[in-house]
Amino acid sequence: MREALLQEKLSGSRVRCNICQWRCAINPGKSGVCHMYQNRDGVLYNMNYAKASSLHADPIEKKPLFHFYPGSKCFSIGGWGCNFHCQHCQNWEISCPIHDEPWRSSQEVTPETAIALTKRYQCEGISWTYNEPTMWFEYTLDSAKLAKQNNLYTVYVTNGYMTPEALDTIGPHLDAWRVDVKGFSDKFYQDLARVPHWRGILDVARRAKEKWHMHVEVITNIIPTMNDDDTQLSGIATWIKTALGELTPWHVTRFYPHHGLMHLPPTPVETLERAYDIGKKAGLKFVYAGNVAGHPSESTVCYSCGKLIVERYGYQTHVIGLRGSKCKYCGAELNFRVKLKEG
């Protein structure tokens, strides 16, 4: 348990949490939407500081991040809870632990231990993932500071619903912002995740790139009948091009039935390819179809000279044509973050 960094005292011992965009006003003895921030006698506490649910050494491509230290290993750590309630959540056991409070008995992984494990497993960086990392914000902040002191890269795999002030608190210590833009309509976000005011996600993503110079990649899991229409897909693609730039990778990934959406079919590959075409027509240079191993769009091809730059098959990655962030054949800027020794 750790006192929350971003809290506002209200009347009657109530307290407002300013970690995420719900900005919950919480009564004494109660928790916010995420269940991870609780008001105890007028003081807000994070209940799962250093309480880990999941630990893995993953390929960075699994996040997915395709233009960020390609081929590297990333130590991935998950906590508990989420501020969304997505019907198709793949990790609902750790994201929606409302009953029995399993985090109380879960393994404790201090920031120091997390960094030591990152090094032990020969990872080049650390990511907070599997559940929404904002739900143990104080822990990720302490860990990110320590990671940077140890020359490790840092990654947030996020739904993007963090407040601007929380982003500005952790921003100096984060290198990559892998953000979900799940759809592009009020109805979709309300139906899928019970989130009424989703457009702040876009503002924070843009702030991460422009103010804190993070590497940003966007993922959209395309769900049949829900966000697979041309209007939403075109809206996302156009926003990425306008707000984040044409070199920002967009991952359009295949949905598989899970949790509360078992009645829907997997996304047809043809739908992913239509989304790919929509992204390209909007002016995006890099669109990747995900969860379809072997799809031609998995690999990075230079938009200028057409040469193969990074070859991928699943999580197998072969860097072929990079010199720094550019194509080594023609010099075109490709928006990669890489180790200095590459090229």
Side-chain angles (χ1 to χ4, degrees), residues 129-163:
T129 180
Y130 305 128
N131 74 308
E132 171 52 42
T134 311
M135 299 302 90
W136 53 352
F137 178 76
E138 292 74 15
Y139 174 75
T140 64
L141 176 61
D142 290 346
S143 300
K145 289 178 179 178
L146 194 58
K148 298 315 295 178
Q149 293 171 17
N150 285 268
N151 298 313
L152 299 168
Y153 66 64
T154 53
V155 176
Y156 243 48
V157 178
T158 177
N159 61 31
Y161 212 53
M162 181 185 283
T163 62

Side-chain angles (χ1 to χ4, degrees), residues 13 216 307:
S13 295
V216 179
K307 296 286 185 63

Side-chain angles (χ1 to χ4, degrees), residues 60-78:
I60 191 64
E61 287 78 14
K62 191 175 180 180
K63 301 301 104 190
L65 281 167
F66 277 14
H67 286 225
F68 184 83
Y69 289 80
S72 69
K73 263 199 317 185
C74 180
F75 189 72
S76 302
I77 181 166

Side-chain angles (χ1 to χ4, degrees), residues 219-280:
I219 184 171
T220 303
N221 188 230
I222 300 180
I223 306 170
T225 73
M226 294 190 71
N227 64 348
D228 58 347
D229 56 282
D230 287 4
T231 300
Q232 289 194 78
L233 296 174
S234 179
I236 297 169
T238 301
W239 172 78
I240 294 171
K241 167 71 160 46
T242 302
L244 302 178
E246 65 182 9
L247 301 182
T248 303
W250 184 31
H251 302 264
V252 291
T253 63
R254 192 178 197 187
F255 160 86
Y256 286 97
H258 202 73
H259 194 35
L261 294 182
M262 292 297 294
H263 61 287
L264 294 180
T267 314
V269 175
E270 293 79 7
T271 301
L272 299 181
E273 292 173 341
R274 177 165 53 84
Y276 175 92
D277 290 339
I278 288 171
K280 288 291 188 175

